[in-house]
Amino acid sequence: MSTVRLSFPVTGMTCAACQGRVQRVLSRAPGVEQAAVNLVTERATVTYDPTVTTADALVARVVSTGYGAALPAPGRSALDDQDALDASQTAEFRVLRRRTIAALLAAVVVMTLSLPMMTAEMHAGGVVQDPFMHWTARVLGPVLAAAAPWLATANPRALSGVLLTLTTAVMIACAGPIYRRAVAALRHGGADMNTLIAVGTGAAYVFSVATTIAPEAFLRRGVAPDGYYDAVVMIIALVLLGQTLEARARRRTASAIRQLAALAPASARIVRDGAERDVPLAEVRSGDTVVVRPGERVPVDGQVIDGTSAVDESMLTGESVPVAKHPGDTVVGGAMNGTGALRYIATTVGGDSRLSRIVALVRDAQGSRAPIQRLADRISAWFVPTILLLAVLTAAVWLVASPHTPVRAVSAAIAVLVIACPCAMGLAVPTAVMVSSGRGAQLGILIKGGDALERLAAIDTVLLDKTGTITAGHPAVTDVVAAPGLAGDLAELLRAAAAVESLSEHPLAAAIVAHAARPLPPATAFESTPGLGVAGVVGGVRVVVGGAAMMRAAGIDPVPLARDAARLADAGRTPVFIARDGRMAAVLGIADEPKPGAAAAVAALARAGYAVGMVTGDTAATARAIGDEVGITRITAGVLPEGKVDAIRAMQATGARVAMVGDGVNDAPALAQADVGIAMGTGSDVAVAAGEVTLMRGDLASVPQALRLARRTMRVMRQNLGWAFAYNLLGIPLAAGVLYPRFGLLLSPILASAAMAISSITVVANSLRLARVRL
């Protein structure tokens, strides 16, 4: 079955119950193979069969549940999507902030006007039922009486009317979206955080209106007509404050991807019709000639045709050292140019650019679900209905136990509804995944989602490919042994050999040319013998370069340096002889050298308790030589791509959880077979696509960093979930009043709303620690 992957924004979600509801609706749609909804990124990602359903139908199913959804506009890149999300989140934060300020100011006024009535009730021998309000009346009542004595003589009915008017205004102007979402959820047969807040404050409001309009009806039944306006406004103010602080913190979880998106400049300087002109970035086309001056950002990907400079690519690859760029080298959009001017041909633009692909990869990773989230998803499915039932039972028990104090029953029920809001549960895992993915991107480590993070944290065995992974992937001269009496003339000998090899296309020739000093003398009478070597005339002297067979074919005896050649071969080097004027002159050792830091990375993995091995298609001798240099003793050599897969399967059969690190096309099957495939970003596109982790630097030091990041992330996820569950397990019984019979302790609905806000902020703040983790 051929499937399609669709990602689109979903608005209006406020808690785990919202997320779970949208996800269940999408998962149950015909033709849907997999669906994931992320509360933090406000996106749904669906894999579906296009022969069974359509993208429009999936969006319509989300809309039918009462939430907003729309297909992404065609032609939009990941950078455009991120800009739109940033603008939306910024606007949401500003609106929440305005409503919060208004609600807090109204709460101060309502509390002030309520104090005289509470103080009068205490002086008359009554008891203010809400513990927080009781404390406020006892401590602040005398202060207010001294500061505004006229309030103490105000008409209680008039004060109640003012409180009713202010509370109604706050509920409409500040908390209106909460009630509208609650009604929409009810209309679509669901319930969420808004339902709990709306039912709790709505019940308190209706009770207070009844005491204001018909206080005599309560007095005739021996019940004090106490209003709850102060609690309603304070709950709304604290809920909005929590949402505002949460929105601000959630925006910080996307700071890394926001920084990546901001790397793209707004315009580019291109050459058209022989003149330079600045055009918007969206108007740059593949094939345009782009000019970048010193200190400017590279606007799009391309290949340098003129100029040299050092370019800082740290925000894209995590590599702190600027990279030298010369004609023929590639540059990446978003990188910062150094002191030189560059002229290059644009190759990939828009959504195909490397920066856009990185942003899309990180965004998709942040929008994915980790398996550990499933527990929270299952609980959220029945959580809100259960809390509504518990609140009803709490009120009923209080009414039976204390029939003359219905305010206490209302208070306890409201506290249960408010403190149980499942915000922290819905934020526990997604925020950790977001911050961790962003932190990884800053280090040049791209992790494809929460599932990959969780499996990466469970790895105990790391297998490394050799060529291009442990080694640089291209040969270099490692040893130079001169024949007796030629040591002083070695530099000139190497220049002559490089002059001849510069006319060859053999990979070993490039290593000799790169090793020799410049400038190279001219070479004539060039001859190439395939499989053996080359020869030419330099400065009137015939120079022969090649293996032992080439020397013998040229009538030159390689015996004087045969022992040195054998020693180099035993060390995993390829011996290459140089003869000059018919006599043996030197032997070179050429090998693919380990990357700088490879040995340190292997040692770091071993210290962390990982079993480290090498699996390669190269010869056993070469593999052993590289293994000795970097500290790997567990080596599987001389295997084809299928052999690498078999080696991984054999380890997995013993219970090992294997991460495979590779860079080539031949590594793709092994990357797919491993529990986690880690691809070098400097390698082939096939390997990068097959891997679930991409190391943009192509540096093995990133492997232990990625593993440490994954383990830290899983620890934070468990802490978040543990806090979210413990908070509800302890808070709900406390709010219901289980400690009142023995200790006389009750939880005020106002304090319950504050605790609910703190729980969400605590989870987000704990996740934000990952943004500063040292790896």
Side-chain angles (χ1 to χ4, degrees), residues 60 204 614:
M614 180 199 302

Side-chain angles (χ1 to χ4, degrees), residues 420-437:
C421 290
C423 301
M425 216 185 309
L427 296 170
V429 174
T431 53
V433 172
M434 281 197 70
V435 179
S436 177
S437 300

Side-chain angles (χ1 to χ4, degrees), residues 24 87 111 215 217 223 256 334 379 426 446 473 505 509 565 602 605 662 668:
R24 285 191 298 276
M111 288 283 288
V223 176
I379 292 176
L446 303 184
E505 296 181 355
V602 171
L605 289 170

Side-chain angles (χ1 to χ4, degrees), residues 566-583:
R567 175 179 56 80
L568 292 173
D570 290 340
R573 273 63 169 147
T574 300
V576 176
F577 295 98
I578 302 175
R580 185 173 62 180
D581 202 17
R583 292 185 302 165

Side-chain angles (χ1 to χ4, degrees), residues 171 200-212 218 229 232:
M171 294 177 74
T201 56
Y205 176 77
V206 170
F207 185 88
S208 301
V209 170
T211 61
T212 300
F218 288 84
Y229 298 117
V232 171

Side-chain angles (χ1 to χ4, degrees), residues 307-464:
T308 59
S309 185
V311 178
D312 181 2
E313 300 177 344
S314 58
M315 274 302 293
L316 295 167
T317 65
E319 176 58 63
S320 59
V321 179
V323 181
K325 299 294 181 181
H326 306 279
D329 292 337
T330 59
V331 290
V332 182
M336 177 65 76
N337 188 29
T339 56
L342 294 175
R343 186 180 293 251
Y344 69 92
I345 300 297
T347 53
T348 53
V349 297
D352 295 327
S353 70
R354 189 176 183 186
L355 175 60
S356 183
R357 291 200 305 271
I358 290 173
V359 170
L361 184 62
V362 177
R363 183 196 65 192
D364 291 345
Q366 292 181 338
S368 66
R369 293 168 65 248
I372 196 173
Q373 175 72 28
R374 292 170 188 157
L375 177 61
D377 290 343
R378 285 196 296 269
I379 292 176
S380 66
W382 51 264
F383 188 82
V384 173
T386 302
I387 294 305
L388 289 170
L389 179 60
L390 284 176
V392 172
L393 291 175
T394 298
V397 170
W398 274 102
L399 287 173
V400 171
S402 184
H404 297 295
T405 54
V407 176
R408 186 168 288 168
V410 173
S411 174
I414 294 171
V416 169
L417 290 169
V418 173
I419 203 169
C421 290
C423 301
M425 216 185 309
L427 296 170
V429 174
T431 53
V433 172
M434 281 197 70
V435 179
S436 177
S437 300
R439 177 61 174 149
Q442 290 175 334
L443 298 170
I445 302 168
L446 303 184
I447 302 173
K448 298 179 182 178
D451 184 40
L453 263 172
E454 192 163 334
R455 282 185 283 114
L456 190 62
I459 291 299
D460 54 34
T461 302
V462 179
L463 284 185
L464 306 172

